[in-house]
């Protein structure tokens, strides 16, 4: 198939829908990923000339520009949010035209300010929504800059990075304190995204003049709130595609600064070994950070160093969210333990085999316990209660379909820690709330009649809130306790998705605690590959479950009839199903028909194999 390199849409007539679908995306992704791997390796060895040349090659390539347009017009979840130009979506013809318009420059449109509520709070967070063209340009620069900086970023930076998550940060904290209690500086940077100094950021970015001019234009573009234009003299607008990367670049170096001041190693006195000095540990997720050390004076000194370091970027620690505590003992009237990323991390005195010392230097046994924080538990129950109250007149099935995704998402997030008792506690609260909901609907009926109508016995489970229908049509409420507790394995050191080890990263995706069970199972059975294009799924890819035989043609909602696809591959397949005879360049490894699938039980697991 001939591949268009540069197409002038004003002078050429195309069957644009078919032209967009016929692009060989598999070939494009491989081409771009090879360049990104080379950029990553050049950055690792410090070859500035090499990775800048490769970045220029990548940004000038038609492949990278096409993938950038596809990302912001098809894959992004916020693709329907309009910028100041009012454009919410693009047709295939407009997408092809936009590919040829993507050129770096210094003229950009201002962003549109949108206020969204913070979860569980009355405050609102400002987002700056760029235009569709600027979003595509930002996605293009992200493809070039992210591999360079992934090779440099510190190992304990986890926020908004490919292949890293909140659970990796929590596991890093656990590994740091599992053998010895420590003092903790729990800190938050005040208005981090809104106050980063532009000059300091651009100086630290140290990129090519072309990219620097483009990023400076985005930073200085201004923001329109209502009908008024406000200048942006500082900060990176949240809502842009490359804003998280710019914030991580600005905060890069904090961990190294702390390690330089308090390195770990052996202590030598008069040339003789005198003991082991543990180093101070900084663990950061975006603008939330903790500093851990067993010596209180070291942690206090780290705070002073951190405040001085942040001044260079126009930032400061937020006093109301910065406190000094101990993981095991009470310190200055504050209870032991702290909350971080929704988890409560604390140590309890227990047993003679877990040794450590309290703030007075006395030896104690202890155990580290990590649970969902009380604030998150309350916010989650309040959310469920609001949904139940809002569906007082709705059918039971409609209420269950609203509650199940909320329960599943929250329980999966906290399924890597000690959550069993909290899950049972929440199930009991939800049951009491549903009893109130059922009695409100039938005030003149007896409790026995109400329970028979809404609660049933299913597969040995009693008192299941479910509809009366039997079999596949029955809808049941998901209990928190049905989500299995599974420990999370922390990402290895400075490993990155750009290091080329796709098998490792596709395996990690299947074990991600936030990954739904169906998706994880399909990932495992498909060996980490998309069933449509045959490429490995990458950490930031958007995946969708597809029915091999559509429901409209009699296909069933079961594992035998499911396959996992990229969102853009799913769009392509759907278009092909509705237009017989159209072939897609992406579809080079179509899955075999269901009649050629063999299913059997192996080690208590249902396994699918092609024959």
């Amino acid at each position: 198939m001939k591949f268009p390199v540069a197409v002038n849409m004003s002078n050429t007539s195309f069957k644009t829908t078919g032209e967009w679908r016929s692009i060989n995306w598999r070939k494009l992704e491989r081409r771009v990923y090879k360049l990104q791997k080379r950029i990553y390796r050049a950055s690792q060895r410090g070859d500035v000339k090499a990775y800048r040349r490769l970045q220029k090659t990548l940004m000038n390539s038609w492949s990278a520009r096409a993938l950038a347009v596809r990302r912001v017009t098809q894959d992004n979840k916020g693709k329907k949010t309009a910028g100041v130009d009012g454009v919410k979506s693009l047709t295939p013809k407009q997408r092809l035209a936009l590919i040829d318009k993507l050129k770096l420059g210094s003229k950009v449109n201002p962003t549109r300010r949108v206020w969204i509520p913070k979860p569980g709070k009355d405050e609102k967070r400002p987002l700056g929504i760029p235009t569709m063209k600027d979003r595509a340009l930002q996605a293009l620069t992200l493809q070039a800059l992210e591999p360079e900086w992934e090779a440099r970023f510190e190992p304990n930076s986890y926020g908004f990075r490919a292949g890293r998550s909140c659970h990796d940060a929590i596991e890093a904290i656990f590994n740091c304190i599992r053998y010895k209690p420590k003092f903790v500086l729990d800190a938050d940077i005040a208005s981090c995204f809104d106050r980063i100094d532009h000059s300091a950021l651009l100086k630290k970015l140290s990129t090519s003049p072309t990219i620097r001019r483009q990023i400076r234009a985005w930073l200085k573009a201004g923001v329109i709130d209502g009908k008024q234009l406000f200048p942006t003299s500082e900060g990176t607008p949240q809502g842009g595609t490359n804003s998280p990367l710019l914030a991580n670049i600005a905060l890069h170096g904090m961990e190294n600064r702390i390690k330089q001041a308090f390195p770990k190693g052996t202590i030598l006195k008069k040339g003789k070994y005198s003991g082991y000095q543990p180093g101070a540990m900084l663990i950061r997720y975006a603008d939330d950070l903790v500093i851990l050390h067993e010596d209180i004076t070291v942690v206090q000194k780290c705070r002073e160093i951190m405040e001085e370091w942040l001044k260079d970027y126009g930032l400061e620690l937020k006093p109301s969210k910065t406190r000094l505590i101990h993981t095991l003992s009470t310190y200055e009237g504050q209870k032991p333990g702290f909350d971080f990323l929704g988890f409560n991390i604390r140590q309890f005195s227990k047993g003679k085999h877990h040794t450590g010392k309290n703030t007075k230097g006395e030896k104690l046994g202890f155990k580290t316990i990590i649970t969902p924080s009380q604030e998150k538990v309350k916010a989650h129950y309040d959310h469920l209660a609001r949904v139940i109250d809002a569906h007082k007149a709705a059918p039971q099935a409609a209420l269950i379909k609203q509650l199940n995704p909320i329960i599943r998402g929250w329980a999966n997030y906290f399924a890597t820690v000690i959550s069993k008792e909290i899950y049972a506690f929440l199930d009991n609260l939800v049951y009491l709330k549903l009893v109130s909901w059922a009695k409100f609907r039938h005030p003149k009926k007896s409790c026995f009649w109400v329970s028979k109508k809404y609660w049933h016995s299913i597969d040995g489970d009693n008192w299941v809130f479910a509809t009366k229908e039997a079999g596949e049509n029955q809808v049941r409420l998901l209990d928190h306790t049905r989500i299995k507790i599974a420990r999370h394995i922390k990402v290895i050191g400075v490993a990155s998705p750009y290091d080329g080890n796709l098998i490792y990263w596709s395996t990690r995706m299947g074990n991600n605690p936030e990954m739904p069970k169906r998706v994880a199972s399909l990932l495992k059975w498909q060996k980490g590959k998309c069933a449509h294009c045959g490429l490995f799924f990458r950490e930031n890819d958007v995946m969708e479950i597809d029915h091999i035989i559509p429901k409209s043609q009699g296909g069933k909602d079961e594992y035998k009839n499911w396959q996992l696809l990229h969102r853009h591959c799913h769009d392509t397949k759907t278009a092909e199903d509705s237009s017989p005879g159209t072939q897609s360049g992406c579809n080079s490894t179509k899955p075999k028909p269901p009649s050629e699938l063999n299913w059997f039980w192996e080690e208590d697991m249902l396994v699918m194999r092609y024959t």
Side-chain angles (χ1 to χ4, degrees):
M1 186 189 73
K2 292 185 178 180
F3 183 73
V5 177
V7 183
N8 187 342
M9 293 302 299
S10 60
N11 299 327
T12 311
S13 176
F14 285 97
K15 294 180 180 179
T16 52
T17 302
E19 188 74 21
W20 177 262
R21 291 209 309 265
S22 66
I23 294 176
N24 193 335
W25 295 109
R26 178 189 176 92
K27 187 175 182 180
L28 266 60
E29 288 198 24
R30 284 186 169 179
R31 186 178 298 168
V32 170
Y33 185 64
K34 283 182 180 178
L35 281 173
Q36 288 178 321
K37 280 197 298 184
R38 293 175 65 189
I39 293 170
Y40 176 83
R41 289 167 182 169
S43 181
Q44 267 188 327
R45 63 179 184 265
D47 193 343
V48 178
K49 186 176 180 180
Y51 69 69
R52 285 195 180 178
R53 184 181 69 248
L54 290 167
Q55 286 173 338
K56 184 178 179 180
T57 302
L58 186 145
M59 298 187 71
N60 287 334
S61 72
W62 198 93
S63 303
R65 285 183 283 145
L67 290 174
V69 170
R70 187 186 69 178
R71 173 174 177 175
V72 300
T73 59
Q74 284 188 279
D75 289 346
N76 279 8
K77 294 180 180 179
K79 61 187 177 183
K80 296 291 185 181
T81 308
V84 293
D85 57 355
V87 177
K88 291 185 178 181
S89 60
L90 298 180
T91 63
K93 179 179 179 180
Q94 292 170 327
R95 294 173 198 162
L96 287 169
L98 180 57
I99 293 174
D100 299 315
K101 294 178 183 177
L102 292 187
K103 295 180 181 178
L104 299 186
S106 57
K107 293 183 179 180
V108 299
N109 292 314
T111 59
R112 183 172 74 91
R113 175 156 290 171
V114 176
W115 294 88
I116 63 169
K118 290 186 177 181
K121 298 181 181 179
D122 295 332
E123 304 175 40
K124 289 190 175 182
R125 177 186 287 116
L127 293 184
I129 309 299
T131 61
M132 195 67 74
K133 180 183 176 181
D134 285 331
R135 277 184 244 176
L137 266 176
Q138 289 187 19
L140 182 61
T141 58
L142 185 68
Q143 289 178 4
L145 290 176
E146 191 172 48
E148 173 197 344
W149 282 93
E150 277 294 323
R152 299 191 205 173
F153 280 145
E154 297 152 326
N156 285 308
S157 165
Y158 298 98
F160 305 120
R161 287 185 58 191
R164 291 164 184 262
S165 66
C166 303
H167 302 89
D168 292 310
I170 296 300
E171 192 66 20
I173 293 174
F174 175 77
N175 290 337
C176 183
I177 65 174
R178 64 188 301 180
Y179 298 119
K180 188 168 286 187
K182 293 183 179 179
F183 286 94
V184 181
L185 176 67
D186 180 15
D188 181 73
I189 301 172
S191 304
C192 176
F193 286 86
D194 301 327
R195 294 172 58 179
I196 293 175
D197 183 79
H198 289 171
S199 300
L201 173 60
L202 291 170
K203 183 180 179 180
K204 192 171 187 177
L205 189 61
S206 184
T207 187
S208 65
T210 306
I211 298 178
R212 186 182 186 278
R213 280 194 299 270
Q214 181 65 72
I215 291 178
R216 186 181 184 279
W218 282 323
L219 295 175
K220 301 289 185 182
V223 59
I224 293 180
D225 193 350
K227 295 183 179 180
Q228 189 173 355
L229 175 65
F230 296 93
T232 49
S233 57
E234 58 183 9
T236 60
Q238 297 183 66
T241 308
N242 60 7
S243 293
L245 175 65
L246 295 178
N248 272 330
I249 292 172
L251 297 177
H252 172 67
M254 297 172 67
E255 183 181 346
N256 289 334
R257 178 68 184 88
I258 293 296
K259 287 182 176 179
Q260 287 172 5
F262 300 100
K264 63 182 179 180
T266 57
I267 302 175
L268 294 175
K269 289 184 179 180
K270 297 180 181 180
K272 294 183 178 180
Y273 174 77
S274 179
Y276 177 78
Q277 172 64 46
M281 175 75 78
L282 183 145
I283 296 168
R284 180 174 65 84
Y285 188 91
D287 56 347
D288 294 329
L289 59 96
V290 291
I291 299 175
L292 306 102
H293 197 274
E294 61 186 63
D295 190 344
I296 181 65
T297 57
V298 171
V299 179
Q300 290 171 338
K301 184 61 178 177
C302 286
R303 177 173 184 169
E304 296 173 7
I305 293 172
M306 194 55 51
E307 289 175 340
E308 183 181 349
W309 189 90
L310 288 171
K311 284 180 182 178
D312 296 338
Y313 298 92
L315 301 172
E316 63 181 3
L317 298 179
K318 194 171 185 177
S320 62
K321 291 189 176 181
T322 301
R323 65 194 190 106
L324 187 60
I325 53 91
H326 193 263
T327 57
L328 178 61
S329 307
T330 302
Y331 176 74
E332 293 186 349
Q334 296 190 83
K335 293 181 179 179
F338 63 100
D339 291 346
F340 190 67
L341 302 177
F343 297 86
N344 178 261
I345 303 160
R346 183 179 173 182
Q347 292 173 325
F348 294 86
S349 300
K350 183 179 180 181
K352 62 181 180 180
H353 300 294
H354 302 271
T355 57
K357 294 181 180 180
N358 62 10
T359 54
K360 297 179 181 179
E362 300 169 345
K363 286 189 176 182
L364 292 174
F366 69 92
K367 191 170 184 179
T368 303
I369 302 293
I370 303 178
T371 60
S373 68
Q374 291 184 4
E375 181 184 356
K376 293 298 180 182
V377 172
K378 183 179 183 305
H380 176 58
Y381 173 70
D382 290 343
H383 187 191
L384 295 175
R386 285 195 300 271
V387 172
I388 294 172
D389 289 339
H391 289 75
K392 286 184 176 179
Q396 184 185 18
L399 173 61
I400 294 173
K401 288 178 180 179
Q402 287 291 323
L403 291 175
N404 278 350
I406 301 171
I407 294 172
R408 182 179 291 109
W410 192 90
N412 280 335
Y413 181 79
F414 290 105
T416 62
V417 298
I418 302 173
S419 305
K420 185 176 180 180
E421 292 184 5
I422 291 177
Y423 284 178
F425 172 72
L426 283 169
D427 284 338
N428 184 52
L429 291 181
V430 171
Y431 166 75
L432 296 175
K433 188 69 180 177
L434 290 173
V435 168
S436 176
W437 173 86
K439 287 182 177 179
F440 175 84
R441 293 164 66 91
H442 307 283
K444 296 183 180 181
K445 296 292 185 179
S446 67
C447 294
F448 179 79
W449 186 93
V450 170
S451 65
K452 283 291 184 182
K453 179 174 177 63
Y454 294 110
W455 281 269
H456 310 282
S457 295
I458 303 175
D459 297 332
D461 293 337
N462 298 323
W463 291 93
V464 178
F465 189 74
T467 56
K468 284 186 176 181
E469 295 87 352
E472 295 180 357
N473 296 324
Q474 189 173 45
V475 183
R476 64 175 290 173
L477 182 69
L478 175 68
D479 292 332
H480 293 81
T481 50
R482 290 179 68 87
I483 303 297
K484 293 183 179 180
I485 305 297
R487 300 292 174 245
H488 178 69
I489 300 174
K490 180 182 171 296
V491 64
I492 299 174
V494 292
S496 169
Y498 298 105
D499 59 16
N501 192 353
L502 290 178
I503 296 175
Y504 170 75
W505 289 104
S506 61
T507 304
R508 279 192 63 82
M509 289 177 66
N511 295 328
N512 191 318
E514 296 183 75
M515 187 75 69
K517 183 180 182 299
R518 284 194 304 174
V519 176
S521 298
L522 291 171
L523 263 175
K524 186 174 182 179
W525 294 335
Q526 295 175 196
K527 297 183 179 179
K529 294 182 180 180
C530 173
H532 192 77
C533 66
L535 293 174
F536 278 105
F537 286 105
R538 294 168 66 183
E539 191 72 20
N540 294 327
D541 287 347
V542 182
M543 297 173 284
E544 290 193 358
I545 295 176
D546 174 66
H547 289 81
I548 299 173
I549 300 177
K551 284 187 175 182
S552 59
Q553 299 177 16
K556 294 184 179 181
D557 203 16
E558 58 185 5
Y559 276 104
K560 293 181 182 179
N561 195 39
W562 288 334
Q563 60 183 355
L564 197 62
L565 309 178
H566 292 103
R567 175 174 286 178
H568 47 266
C569 289
H570 184 262
D571 292 344
T572 303
K573 178 181 176 295
T574 303
E576 288 176 351
D577 291 342
S578 60
S579 304
T582 305
Q583 297 296 324
S584 168
C586 179
N587 195 17
S588 58
T589 58
K590 282 187 178 180
K592 297 183 180 181
S595 59
E596 298 182 31
L597 289 176
N598 282 335
W599 291 79
F600 55 92
W601 288 96
E602 183 180 280
E603 297 180 359
D604 297 329
M605 181 178 292
L606 192 62
V607 178
M608 171 183 70
R609 285 183 184 172
Y610 293 124
T611 58

